[in-house]
Amino acid sequence: AIIESMFESVMEQLRGAARAENRAAGQRLAVTGDLDLLWLRHFGERETRGTDTHDAITAEIAAALGITRGLADSYLDYARAMRMRLLQVGALLVAGDIDYRTFRTIVYRTDLITDSEVLAAVDAQLAAKVARWSGITQSRLGGYVDRVVARADQDAVRRRRERRGDRELSIWGDADGLTEIFGRLHTTDALAVDARLDALTATVCPEDP
């Protein structure tokens, strides 16, 4: 009985740690959203300021957290999704009821819904169901989300398939000895490439021009 009690206590601590980690991820996005709002209020919510504001916020996040600009950019995108698109699902992350991986998957699978009423309905449906989808693979989770999206907005699923077909990585060499690299990847793949390039850059001697 004593051993069982100790085991349950340790498991409860483990579950608590996982929820705390989820809440921390949600809080990070919430604070990033607050920073986003402060910048918008400072410069004015004019579309012409959008790019400059985005770059400035990304730079601040990267410096504060000691991360790459690419990762900081993803935090800002997810923060905006939580604040403006998926309020109910975002609230689950802040509460610790879902993990960051689940939230990111839902954001990605719903990002082509353009109708605000449809999006609100999908957000509510996913918030009601997602807690039951814990412990499954990312591909199965994506499939479940796609079913909800398909019932609400078939065009969003079609647009996603079309956009997936546009993935590419092109390398163009010029006569002047320079090469242009252009790519369109899944966000997870792009972050992996960004991290690999940062690691490669770190191996170069600081004195190398």
Side-chain angles (χ1 to χ4, degrees):
I2 294 175
I3 293 177
E4 289 179 357
S5 177
M6 292 174 61
F7 179 82
E8 182 57 35
S9 175
V10 170
M11 294 303 295
E12 185 61 32
Q13 291 178 49
L14 185 60
R15 288 189 288 267
R19 288 185 62 85
E21 183 178 7
N22 296 343
R23 288 195 298 267
Q27 182 66 13
R28 180 178 61 208
L29 295 187
V31 173
T32 299
D34 291 342
L35 179 62
D36 190 22
L37 283 174
L38 286 174
W39 270 92
L40 289 175
R41 289 168 184 166
H42 180 68
F43 289 109
E45 298 192 42
R46 297 194 296 274
E47 188 171 345
T48 53
R49 299 281 190 179
T51 301
D52 292 340
T53 300
H54 187 282
D55 291 345
I57 297 171
T58 298
E60 287 204 8
I61 296 170
L65 299 181
I67 58 177
T68 65
R69 292 284 290 268
L71 186 54
D73 184 73
S74 75
Y75 286 166
L76 180 56
D77 288 342
Y78 288 126
R80 287 178 173 175
M82 189 172 77
R83 178 167 58 87
M84 297 184 290
R85 291 178 58 81
L86 297 168
L87 280 66
Q88 295 190 45
V89 172
L92 294 178
L93 178 62
V94 173
D97 294 333
I98 62 174
D99 60 18
Y100 189 45
R101 181 207 66 153
T102 298
F103 179 73
R104 288 184 304 170
T105 299
I106 292 175
V107 170
Y108 177 70
R109 298 281 181 166
T110 59
D111 67 344
L112 294 182
I113 300 176
T114 56
D115 187 292
S116 58
E117 292 185 0
V118 172
L119 180 60
V122 169
D123 181 30
Q125 290 182 53
L126 290 173
K129 295 180 178 181
V130 69
R132 302 196 298 269
W133 298 339
S134 61
I136 63 175
T137 64
Q138 190 161 356
S139 60
R140 286 189 65 190
L141 173 62
Y144 288 161
V145 176
D146 283 348
R147 290 193 194 102
V148 174
V149 173
R151 285 195 292 268
D153 187 354
Q154 186 61 43
D155 284 342
V157 176
R158 175 184 56 78
R159 289 192 297 272
R160 172 160 302 288
R161 288 172 180 161
E162 291 173 352
R163 196 168 76 171
R164 284 177 183 167
D166 291 336
R167 296 195 316 276
E168 63 173 309
L169 183 65
S170 303
I171 301 177
W172 300 88
D174 295 332
D176 59 2
L178 296 176
T179 298
E180 179 179 330
I181 300 176
F182 172 81
R184 181 181 293 109
L185 308 172
H186 285 307
T187 299
T188 51
D189 295 335
L191 291 174
V193 171
D194 187 40
R196 184 65 62 86
L197 290 175
D198 283 343
L200 178 63
T201 302
T203 66
V204 178
C205 173
E207 302 303 321
D208 191 325

